[in-house]
Amino acid sequence: MMYNILPWVLSGLISELILVAARPTCKVVGEHQKDIVCTPGISDFFLQRGLVSDNDRTTGITLRGCRIIDVDYESFENLPALEYLDLSVNKIRTLKLGVLDEFKQLKFLNLSYNQLTGFPLGLFDQKPNIEVLDLKANRITNLELGIFDPMSKLRHLDLSSNALLGKDMNPYIFDQTTRIQFMDFSRNDMSGSKNILLDAFEALEFLNLDRCFLTEVPKFATSPNLKTVKHLMLSTNKITKLDDGTIFVHLDDLEILNLIDNAIDNIVHNVFMPLKKLKMVFLRGNKLTQIPDTLFQHLPKLGNIDLSHNAIEFVPVNAFRGSPVKNLNLADNRFTYLTDNFCLELRNSGGAMTKFYFNQNPWQCACLKDIIEEVKKFGIQYNGVGYDGKKPVCVTENDFTCKRQPDANANHIDLYFNLISKV
Ligand SMILES: *[C@@H]1O[C@H](CO)[C@@H](O)[C@H](O)[C@H]1NC(C)=O
């Protein structure tokens, strides 16, 4: 009878659907049909031979976010042309020694956003051609000495957001990977790392040490072989001082220095002097109360300086002389006035200001008026958001004159912060 067959047909269909959808679905894509892209099924998946393996032509495989929990031997069997493998955003906890042994041509391997805690020594032995290895956001605590050695062509290594402890890291771990250009250690505890950690690098350009629990600029990040580094990130650490004038002396090629959100309250006057290629320096969010008179002088490429969110009470115009400053951010500090004709002075000594932020300071109203007139005259962009008359932005005494003496500061600072706290 019909109504007896119907449930049977339906349940058959449903189990068929589940069977199909339980594992990832893979498609051949691209102009030359050389790439395989998979989408996840509805349950976790143990990758085995048969899903992406056994194809002479395949050069790229994307298994991103496919709910893979483990990878079996031979999963990538017989893929002689494979150059690109993306296994990111899965739940892989371990990679057994040998699972990556086929496909010697591989150039790009993305294992980011998995649950890997480490690697068996030898895992990458058959991977001499890898150039990009992304291991971000795993749970790696330890790296075996020799693990990276076979990858002598490696140029991009991302180890960020893991659980590495620099103090326990073997300092010879990168001995054979001399060609690395991009190195990301951010969000690991790199404090106490050995000074020679990166000594084998010959071509490093980008080094990220954001959120690495550093209390000082680490020696391993400024060693003589790092003269090729262009971009150094030291943001969000607990560095308190730059009091050694030789600290950056080897970084000949440095263009961008990021020291945002540290606790720096002490900078020696000549610390940036060796950085003749420096284009940008970010010191936002530190504890500076003063700037040495020569700090940014005669840096022929320096266009961007961010000193906002500090506690600077006096800004010496001399500090910028001889540098082509374009963007200067002095917002949220503690000064009440700037040197008379501040912008003109900068222009006359090499500056080319197009953007100048000085809001959120305890301005004397007469001094604020002067600087606003000046930036308007020169067509310099400034942050006028707070200057709509609705909020207090400055304080004034009976005589509306700008008092440019250090002793005028304290008085006004108190007045200003009193006023602000009442709003
Ligand atoms: C690796 O995969 C992650 C997540 O899919 C992605 O955001 C990242 O850009 C990839 N890495 C590289 C080097 O392409």
Side-chain angles (χ1 to χ4, degrees), residues 7 11-12 81 225 242 271 322 324 368 400:
S11 77
N225 60 304
L242 302 176
V271 71
L368 180 59
F400 195 82

Side-chain angles (χ1 to χ4, degrees), residues 70 84 128 132 167 174 189 191 195 223 228 257 331 336 357 367 389 392:
D70 199 355
Y84 176 100
V132 178
K167 69 179 169 57
F174 302 114
D189 184 346
S191 63
N195 293 350
S223 50
T228 52
L257 178 59
T336 74
Y357 290 173
C367 309

Side-chain angles (χ1 to χ4, degrees), residues 364-383:
Q364 303 174 43
C365 291
C367 309
L368 180 59
K369 181 171 159 283
D370 284 355
I371 194 73
I372 289 178
E373 274 171 14
E374 213 195 355
V375 290
K376 280 186 173 160
K377 186 169 89 190
F378 290 125
I380 296 168
Q381 206 183 317
Y382 67 102
N383 184 352

Side-chain angles (χ1 to χ4, degrees), residues 64-65 84 86-89 108-113 132-136 156 158 182:
R64 180 178 196 271
Y84 176 100
D86 182 355
L87 283 165
S88 66
V89 201
F108 175 102
L109 178 58
N110 195 338
L111 288 166
S112 66
Y113 300 93
V132 178
L133 179 59
D134 192 342
L135 300 171
K136 178 180 184 166
H156 178 117
D158 193 339
F182 175 104

Side-chain angles (χ1 to χ4, degrees), residues 312 330-336 357-364 387 393-394 416-417:
I312 302 165
L330 298 174
D332 189 17
N333 276 286
R334 291 173 72 88
F335 54 85
T336 74
Y357 290 173
F358 44 77
N359 47 294
Q360 287 172 269
N361 276 287
W363 280 103
Q364 303 174 43
Y387 303 157
V393 292
C394 59
Y416 176 84
F417 287 108

